Amino acid sequence: MAAKTGLSAVWHDEGKRWEIRELPRPETEPDGVSIRVQATSVCGSDLHLWRGDGVPEGTYRDPFVFGHEMMGTVAELGSKITTDSLRQPLHEGDRVVFAYFFPCMRCYNCIRGEMGACKFRGGRKPLEEWPVCNGGFAQYYYLRAPQFLFKLPDELDDAAAAPVNCALAQVMEAFHIAKPRFGDNVVIQGAGGLGVNATAVAAEMGANKVIVIDGQEPRLEMARRCGATHTIDIKDFPTPESRIQRVMELTNGVGADIALEVVGFPAAVEEGVQMVRMRGTYLEVGHISPNSIAHLDVQKLVSNQLRFFAIQHYDPWIIPNALDFLMRTREKYPLTKVISHSYGIEQIDEAFTTAEGLGREAGSVVTRAIVTP
């Protein structure tokens, strides 16, 4: 029997502080599933939210619970739920990974099969509107209908599974949209959690060269272990012009067929589009903060006939394919071994402070830290 209450880590902009609050667990409806969260990664987008990037000075958002890159065990099944989304028998206690958003299935996008683009796909309601224990950085997460969840193979531990529904699924969706061809040259801006996953995916999709850009040698080494053929260290190439020139040298003056941005800073976009060949594809994933303004010469985009795609969320079919990818490549790439720091929910302030510091320190190889609520 699942507990009736759970702990939630509530973030307060005012005072920049966490509050650990005990809240009732949402009631499980007949077509719902209650998840006992076991591991939630501190994603780069979580750090943007925590810092308040893009929020005007002196503005305070209402206290909120966040966290999305998670996995867990089934705490309680609604009376109508007997299987996962691939019709495998599902029981309380089973380990699962799931889409953290819920398409409405009744809108313009959903009826075209674009569930990741549903305008009504929200995950959590505001805390003041629905004061329950519900979030990634909380002990419970409620999957309302229609939910998409999948049983986890025993070979994947909790830490390895947590990033599946964001870091891996997001870049798989991006490459699905880009439609890379065998022999393409790919540039990846950033070697954090999404970046190293993107590196391995690009390599497995038949890329000729996978060029990864970052400012930390340990992260670049991780990228090389994940399939990067070339790396560009920002310390060695300190200007955008030098990095663009290096990409051109590595691609025989042509430019990248595909470039993927997973850094989340506007200057990276301004730089990255100049690395792409004529009629190449630029994939924008990293920007989730408001007021992320990039200055682009649109005429150059037109004259270069650039294909520009902005990607957020993914369609649910990606998740089981992401699990298959991890299982198939777990001995080839270290994607299941990038987590080195784990914190309980009461240590969430330390978790975020550590994740922020490790993301900036030159000696860091950590691309994800996890909270285990």
Side-chain angles (χ1 to χ4, degrees), residues 157-319:
D157 64 23
D158 292 357
V164 165
N165 76 356
C166 175
L168 181 52
Q170 195 70 78
V171 299
M172 288 181 72
E173 172 79 359
F175 283 123
H176 175 68
I177 290 170
K179 295 179 172 55
R181 292 179 292 187
F182 190 85
D184 276 358
N185 294 316
V186 178
V187 166
I188 297 168
Q189 294 176 278
L194 274 76
V196 294
N197 277 278
T199 302
V201 172
E204 287 298 297
M205 294 185 82
N208 173 39
K209 293 180 180 177
V210 183
I211 305 164
V212 180
I213 305 170
D214 200 274
Q216 294 190 30
E217 173 52 33
R219 291 192 174 201
L220 292 172
E221 173 58 27
M222 176 65 77
R224 288 190 284 271
R225 293 174 61 196
C226 288
T229 59
H230 300 79
T231 57
I232 299 175
D233 192 327
I234 291 173
K235 295 188 295 296
D236 298 330
F237 297 86
T239 66
E241 293 77 15
S242 64
R243 294 188 288 272
I244 294 165
Q245 179 59 34
R246 180 58 178 154
V247 169
M248 292 300 168
E249 291 171 357
L250 292 171
T251 58
N252 298 318
V254 175
D257 297 283
I258 298 171
L260 171 71
E261 189 280 317
V262 286
V263 179
F265 294 104
V269 179
E270 298 169 10
E271 177 179 329
V273 294
Q274 299 180 66
M275 297 174 173
V276 181
R277 70 167 174 84
M278 181 172 282
R279 286 205 180 180
T281 299
Y282 192 77
L283 300 170
E284 168 50 43
V285 175
H287 283 84
I288 60 97
S289 300
N291 303 308
S292 297
I293 310 300
H295 299 280
L296 301 171
D297 185 339
V298 179
Q299 185 276 329
K300 287 187 177 179
L301 302 186
V302 172
S303 64
N304 208 31
Q305 302 180 48
L306 189 82
R307 277 62 173 143
F308 191 112
F309 292 97
I311 296 107
Q312 185 184 48
H313 289 173
Y314 48 85
D315 290 334
W317 68 267
I318 292 281
I319 293 181

Side-chain angles (χ1 to χ4, degrees), residues 25 66 77 106 130 144 165 200 283 289 304 321 339 345:
R25 183 174 60 84
F66 59 109
L77 289 171
R106 298 179 63 192
W130 200 34
R144 66 177 187 266
N165 76 356
L283 300 170
S289 300
N304 208 31
N321 283 275
I339 304 292
I345 193 169

Side-chain angles (χ1 to χ4, degrees), residues 109-166:
N109 292 95
C110 280
I111 64 172
R112 284 162 172 75
E114 300 169 355
M115 287 174 273
C118 172
K119 293 181 180 178
F120 310 98
R121 68 189 185 278
R124 297 178 300 279
K125 299 177 184 177
L127 185 62
E128 295 307 311
E129 178 184 330
W130 200 34
V132 298
C133 181
N134 186 43
F137 298 121
Q139 290 185 324
Y140 289 93
Y141 193 69
Y142 183 61
L143 303 182
R144 66 177 187 266
Q147 74 283 120
F148 297 90
L149 76 164
F150 306 89
K151 291 176 69 171
L152 276 167
D154 292 338
E155 293 87 347
L156 298 179
D157 64 23
D158 292 357
V164 165
N165 76 356
C166 175

Side-chain angles (χ1 to χ4, degrees), residues 64-127:
F64 60 101
V65 178
F66 59 109
H68 61 281
E69 202 172 278
M70 58 183 144
M71 58 73 61
T73 56
V74 175
E76 187 175 17
L77 289 171
S79 59
K80 295 181 180 178
I81 305 295
T82 58
T83 70
D84 73 357
S85 296
L86 288 176
R87 297 190 178 275
Q88 297 184 81
L90 192 64
H91 305 95
E92 291 181 7
D94 284 345
R95 298 167 63 246
V96 291
V97 68
F98 42 87
Y100 57 89
F101 55 91
F102 314 100
C104 73
M105 309 303 288
R106 298 179 63 192
C107 70
Y108 190 90
N109 292 95
C110 280
I111 64 172
R112 284 162 172 75
E114 300 169 355
M115 287 174 273
C118 172
K119 293 181 180 178
F120 310 98
R121 68 189 185 278
R124 297 178 300 279
K125 299 177 184 177
L127 185 62

